Amino acid sequence: MAEYSKEEIKKIEQKWQEKWEKEGAYKVSDTSDKPKYYVLDMFPYPSGAGLHVGHPLGYIASDIVSRYKRSKGFNVLHPMGFDAFGLPAEQYAIQTGQHPAVTTAKNIETYKRQLRQIGFSYDWSREVQTCEPAYYKWTQWIFMQLFNAWYNKKAIVNGQLIIDGKTENISTLIAELEKNGNASINAVCDDETPSITAEEWKNFNEREKEEFLQHYRIAYQSETMVNWCAALGTVLSNDEVKDGVSERGGYPVERIKMLQWSMRITAYADRLLKGLDTIDWPEPVKEMQRNWIGKSLGCQFKFEISNLKSQIEVFTTRIDTVFGVTFLVLAPEHELVKQITTEAQQTAVENYVEVAKNRSERERMSEVKRVSGAFTGAYAVNPFNGEQIPIWISDYVLAGYGTGAVMAVPGHDERDHRFAKHFNLPIRQVVEGPSVEEEAFVSWDAKIVNSDFMNGLTVDEAIAAGIKKVEALKIGKGKVNFRLRDAIFGRQRYWGEPFPVYYKDGLPKLVEEKDLPITLPEIDEYKPTESGEPPLARAKDWNYKGFTHELTTMPGWAGSSWYWFRYMDPKNDSAFAAKEKTSYWKDVDLYMGGSEHATGHLLYSRFWCKALKDLGYVEAEEPFKKLINQGHIQGISKFVYRVNFALMDNPSKENPITPELYVSRGIAQRIHNKTITLTEATEIYNKYIEELNKLNPSRKLSVIFNDIEDLNAIENHVDIQYVDGETLDIEGFKNWREYYKDAQFILEDGKYICGSEVEKMSKSKYNVVNPDDIVSNYGADTLRLYEMFLGPLELSKPWNMQGIDGVYKFLRRFWNLFHDKNGNFTISEEAATREELKVLHKTIKKVAHDIENFSFNTSVSEFMICSNELSSIKCNKRSILEPLCIVLAPYAPHITAELWEKMGHADSILDATFPIHNEEYLTESSHEYPISINGKVRGKMNFALDMPKEDIEKIVLASETVQKWSEGKTPKKIIVVQGKIVNVVL
RNA sequence: GCCUUGGUGGUGGAAUUGGUAGACACGCAGGACUUAAAAUCCUGUGGCUAGUAAUAGUCGUGCGGGUUCAAGUCCCGCCCGAGGUACCA
């Protein structure tokens, strides 16, 4: 007496989940006669909000593929684990004092409970967590290998030169330095690496040797730009910076240089580029990586500075336009700026640099229409024609790119043109084409003019000639430039892998391998120290044999750049994975995840994989053979608007507490588009000052407020649980966080109205929807089908629950095929009719095709059509329903397992062989042709599929439809596409 | 800004890749069952015009052009949304 009711679903799903777990039904063996198939989901970060409905989208799809491949006879590895280090847990720790390990463990438990109840076929015995010492021991070990490695572009293996070069142990570099110095070494190294002889190398002391080797190591230290927030005493991600101030607290942020660990990913740039042609990834992701790597052929050369001994080095891809250069532009951070600025220009330049350095790189790149800059007063000499050209600085030139200086050719570059127009600098045409007075003319396919020896040459010829000239003048050379920069590997944070590094006399040294892992020490608070040192500086008595440890930790991507290898051998204590395991599983056959990882995780993972391969630890050159992008399930984010003013005194000395004052959406909009009245702005200012003084009673504080321009409203995410429609639940909001407790609000019509936006669903945006309710109301099988039914896997779409009833009804109808009106299980042993077989085989064909093509939404529709058809012909025959169960099982494992058992099977449906469709049942003998006149369908006619075109033409031309529309005229043309359509042209 | 991607009924989406636009669902409307409601089942459902009606005509895949016997699909130019933009993962 079983109906597919809420209670029954719960019973069935629990029963099978427990049974499968008890039997170890998903345990995978590392040895098998079957072909291997490795299906991997992207590593989830276990956030405090738990799993949201966006996560399972990809997991369900990959689970369907895993189950399908298993029923097709593959040995399928399908693991799951957690990328457990990360910023959110740390921020939570700072706020609440709870140890991130504790909250992370709790979050992981929640995730696992949620994942289990959706019925995924994960082999949980292989679970890994990046924050476990047994795991990060090997992350540290890999770091050590990369520290002890360099990139030899002239590597020789078995007497053969390796064209792309190879990662080698640093010992081969040292051996060569001892023999010949670095004269004949061809390696990827820092630009400023000096040339030395063997003699000089031998005479280096320990410090000099290490400093020299740092130019070559794959993991090395260098100075890089970061967002420094003095008030918070830490470095911030671009994400945490809004409008030049910290998202939290609204404190000023400036760009400063800091010594940090980096990874020489640029050594692999060419291989990362070439490897893309060998892997089956979505073309857009490959394209994004190509653009990110950004290989360009150009020319790097020097301009002399008039009246000074220095030179400015520029990189350009358009040396052919060098006669059109009318000024140079340096990044405001460029090291020469101070030196070349004339006295008269000093104030202007200093002011400009001060403003520019507080703008994020992203802002500087995006606001191209806002032209700004300053003249240094200095002039450079164009080496091609001896002309004196002014040197400017502007923030559209970025310090980290190329040389941090560009030769400006306003005639043929849009940004240069805008700059020249704005500052009234000359514009010159050197490429033949339309006038460049009003608009830059950018072309790679034209002739060069007004350019001395280049006149009449094509762009390509002129580039070659230009490089030749530069090299002849000995001022530079042709150069391949990559946009890709070395990856910063250090973080000023607590919750990450500690480095296996200590300092002796200020020199970084690796710990001994036997001392791994270097575990994360306990500290009292998770904040940076008062003096701005990273949190690890708080650790008491934490040292390595009396020496100080490295105090920064590794970034989020460290643990996720090799985890797929660990799943192959997750418990190994003597290697990150045993050689025989990595050579059996090799690489990931199917990787499912979002395209947001295109230029981060996916690039870093490829990099580490190549390095590990070169060093002889793994066989795979590429980690992920096939990649499928799942779209994001988007959430509706809500926003509140925090009032912000710049403080008059320097907040870095001692942080004042700034008011939590929020204005409703309409007011924020008026602030933003500057339509707010001065009266209203003044009221807000008064309120702000009042609060500011209340919060800092012992100090006299004031803020800058001259007009409405000085008033800012910063958009902050608010958790959607505190928003009803668009109105904020003020009490809920105040209780959300400690520092919102006394938040003040300026309302509209008595309400606080929130802003709203569709964004990716993410804990950090506080817009997540949890799948638990759906599972408890409808069951896991319905959730699985519904998420697939939502639309194509790779498209992003906002979450909505409309329509879930449809798939639930389908499952009930499917269940009813096996049961009579009273809920008794009844199936017939009668032979199937041809009609029934056609329905079955059409479904088998469509579903198998859909899974192979990752088109899961269309299979769900097909299942519905099939079940509707079988219902309407009242088919309950075993010979139809049994194979159908196997076909549906990857999508809805619980219901099908139950029905499979009821049909009398003692064996598991998990290992049932996926049926193969028989084309014989599907062939049609005739086709109903749409008859169109001038492309518009006017009628339909049925013809045998093998009827010759000529016969169809005759019949159609004689038909009533054509007679009616042609009104006696003779048709000009008739097109017959066999099996498809007929079109008559009048 | 730049790179990538998407835009089809009231809603999610389908369309064998240039060949009948709107499959399958949701929602809505009407009906059956019921004292009633829920559940279930049946019927209808892109817009506009004409008709009591079956139906007929016409417009229609973000906007504007183009190629073609034929365009949601290909080409050119726009508009809008989303992801990434190097310390979120």
Side-chain angles (χ1 to χ4, degrees), chain A residues 40-42 58 591-597 602 627-631:
Chain A
L40 185 63
D41 292 305
M42 278 186 189
Y591 198 21
M592 184 74 70
S595 62
E596 71 268 30
H597 298 285
L602 288 170
L627 176 73
I628 294 287
N629 286 139
Q630 106 247 7

Side-chain angles (χ1 to χ4, degrees), chain A residues 107-124:
Chain A
N107 295 346
I108 289 176
E109 271 325 297
T110 308
Y111 265 59
K112 282 169 73 172
R113 177 184 60 73
Q114 291 178 305
L115 288 169
R116 279 203 165 95
Q117 69 181 9
I118 302 174
F120 293 118
S121 61
Y122 295 128
D123 179 355
W124 281 110

Side-chain angles (χ1 to χ4, degrees), chain A residues 418-432:
Chain A
R418 255 190 297 264
F419 195 84
K421 273 272 166 196
H422 190 264
F423 290 107
N424 239 334
L425 294 158
I427 299 168
R428 196 177 294 162
Q429 180 138 26
V430 289
V431 180
E432 203 170 59

